[in-house]
């Protein structure tokens, strides 16, 4: 599986398990960057502050760490392009665009951290920079906001397929529909998952509020990364739930109103069960034995 994930062949087949694993790696991207810094500390013998709290240009911190963080997103970008080449469905291009928007967000996040170090040390960024600290901050906010909102919309509308927009007539306003075929018996679970996904998608906004206590906690970075891993596991559960519902859907011989209503029925355990078609009764024999 790892060989399939890290391949550079754009025409390589993409399996559902590969997508799940690569998406989970995106949630661990910051962890991989921190792990690389920890390895540098152990190998070089320098204190962690040398790599984290200094404005001195260090190749492994300024270049390698952002690249390591970007690798899982580049993997998913490659997978989306491969899926488009195989199926020619445009939704894979839109999905690839989602992961592409993460790259400038990662780059400007690294620049923003560097700018904060310069400001804390000398009060301003170097004159050799093409952008001042205000421009860096604004670009960082723009790219992170676009990536967060795009990712949240994709989670609920495409990965989970919970919300769809339909427009019967060109002049009619789009109508929002919530998926009726659900695996879990209580719709509140889905509403709660949407709320948690949105809330944890914008955890980056805590950095915008200097008065929040979370910035003063030593474990704040660990807490944010732990919350992201928690969000990813919620995403995995409802991503697989969507695939399960689609499998049950596609197993029906035909899709009509009757069978759609039967699909909504719950089993005694509160869960959806696959539809079993009843066989027609055998015709009466025309001859009497």
């Amino acid at each position: 599986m790892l060989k399939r994930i890290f391949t550079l062949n754009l025409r390589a087949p993409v399996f559902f398990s590969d997508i799940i694993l690569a998406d989970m790696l995106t949630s661990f991207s910051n962890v991989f960057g921190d792990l690389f810094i920890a390895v540098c500390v152990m190998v070089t013998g320098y204190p962690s502050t040398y790599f984290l709290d200094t404005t001195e240009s260090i190749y492994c911190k300024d270049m390698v760490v952002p690249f390591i963080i970007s690798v899982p997103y580049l993997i998913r970008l490659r997978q989306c392009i491969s899926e488009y080449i195989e199926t020619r469905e445009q939704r894979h291009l839109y999905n690839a665009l989602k992961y592409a928007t993460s790259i400038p967000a990662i780059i400007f996040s690294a620049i923003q951290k560097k700018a904060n170090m310069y400001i804390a040390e000398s009060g301003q960024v170097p004159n050799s920079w093409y952008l001042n600290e205000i421009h860096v901050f604004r670009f960082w906010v723009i790219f992170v906001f676009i990536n967060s909102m795009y990712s949240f919309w994709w989670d609920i509308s495409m990965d989970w397929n919970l919300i769809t927009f339909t427009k019967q007539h060109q002049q009619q306003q789009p109508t929002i529909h919530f998926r009726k075929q659900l695996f879990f018996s209580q719709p509140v679970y889905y509403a709660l998952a949407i709320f948690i996904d949105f809330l944890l998608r914008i955890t980056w906004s805590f950095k915008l509020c200097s008065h929040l206590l979370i910035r003063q906690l030593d474990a704040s970075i660990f807490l944010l990364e732990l919350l992201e891993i928690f969000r990813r596991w919620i995403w995995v559960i409802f991503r697989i739930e969507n695939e399960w519902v689609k499998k049950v859907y596609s197993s029906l011989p035909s899709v009509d109103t009757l069978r759609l209503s039967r699909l909504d029925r719950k089993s005694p355990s509160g869960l959806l069960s696959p539809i079993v078609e009843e066989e027609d009764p055998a015709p009466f024999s025309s001859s009497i034995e």
Side-chain angles (χ1 to χ4, degrees):
M1 181 182 294
L2 291 178
K3 183 179 179 180
R4 295 198 306 263
I5 288 179
F6 287 99
T7 182
L8 299 178
N9 184 11
L10 294 178
R11 297 188 177 275
V14 180
F15 298 91
F16 180 68
S17 58
D18 299 344
I19 296 175
I20 294 295
L21 179 58
D23 271 319
M24 293 181 66
L25 290 179
T26 60
S27 294
F28 286 87
S29 58
N30 286 330
V31 177
F32 296 146
D34 295 339
L35 182 62
F36 177 77
I37 292 295
V39 172
C40 292
V41 171
M42 291 186 293
V43 172
T44 62
Y46 291 107
S48 60
T49 54
Y50 175 76
F51 296 96
L52 299 176
D53 301 330
T54 179
T55 57
E56 183 179 352
S57 296
I58 304 175
Y59 179 78
C60 66
K61 180 188 70 174
D62 297 336
M63 302 295 294
V64 179
V65 171
F67 174 75
I68 292 176
I69 296 175
S70 302
V71 167
Y73 297 94
L74 294 175
I75 292 174
R76 283 296 291 125
L77 178 62
R78 196 277 306 169
Q79 289 177 339
C80 294
I81 296 176
S82 298
E83 288 183 296
Y84 173 74
I85 293 175
E86 181 180 358
T87 63
R88 295 298 176 180
E89 295 181 4
Q90 290 189 352
R91 67 184 183 91
H92 296 303
L93 291 180
Y94 297 138
N95 198 13
L97 179 62
K98 180 189 72 173
Y99 293 102
T101 59
S102 65
I103 304 303
I106 293 173
I107 294 175
F108 274 93
S109 293
I111 297 175
Q112 175 67 21
K113 291 179 182 178
K114 191 78 171 183
N116 290 338
M117 295 179 187
Y118 278 114
I119 294 174
E121 184 177 288
S122 60
Q124 63 179 5
V125 298
N127 295 327
S128 58
W129 283 27
Y130 294 101
L131 301 174
N132 58 33
E133 60 272 17
I134 298 178
H135 293 153
V136 171
F137 178 78
R138 289 176 178 175
F139 276 112
W140 173 71
V141 170
I142 291 173
F143 284 119
V144 175
F145 178 81
I146 292 174
N147 178 256
S148 298
M149 294 299 99
Y150 195 170
S151 300
F152 169 71
W153 170 78
W154 194 271
D155 286 344
I156 63 175
S157 64
M158 301 300 294
D159 289 339
W160 297 352
N161 197 26
L162 291 176
I163 296 177
T164 57
F165 298 88
T166 59
K167 189 175 182 181
Q168 297 179 354
H169 304 286
Q170 294 183 353
Q171 298 181 353
Q172 186 180 6
Q173 293 294 332
T175 305
I176 301 177
H177 297 278
F178 194 87
R179 173 158 56 89
K180 295 182 179 180
Q181 293 74 36
L182 306 176
F183 178 84
F184 300 106
S185 59
Q186 299 297 329
V188 67
Y189 296 155
Y190 297 86
L192 185 61
I194 292 175
F195 174 75
I196 293 176
D197 187 74
F198 173 77
L199 185 64
L200 298 184
R201 277 290 187 185
I202 59 173
T203 50
W204 60 270
S205 63
F206 291 148
K207 301 177 183 178
L208 302 179
C209 305
S210 58
H211 62 280
L212 288 181
L213 181 62
I214 192 171
R215 296 193 61 187
Q216 303 174 6
L217 297 177
D218 294 335
S220 60
I221 297 178
F222 173 77
L223 177 61
L224 292 178
E225 293 178 353
L226 187 63
L227 289 175
E228 169 58 21
I229 294 174
F230 173 70
R231 185 201 66 80
R232 177 58 64 183
W233 277 110
I234 293 178
W235 178 90
V236 169
I237 292 173
F238 286 91
R239 179 70 175 88
I240 297 177
E241 183 267 354
N242 180 34
E243 290 297 318
W244 187 91
V245 171
K246 288 194 294 186
K247 290 294 184 182
V248 174
Y249 233 159
S250 61
S251 66
L252 298 176
S254 62
V255 181
D256 53 23
T257 306
L258 175 62
R259 289 189 171 88
L260 287 181
S261 62
R262 293 180 64 185
L263 184 61
D264 287 333
R265 292 182 180 179
K266 305 294 188 299
S267 64
S269 62
L271 303 178
L272 273 173
S273 57
I275 303 300
V276 179
E277 294 293 327
E278 298 178 358
E279 297 181 357
D280 295 330
F284 291 103
S285 176
S286 58
S287 60
I288 300 177
E289 298 181 355

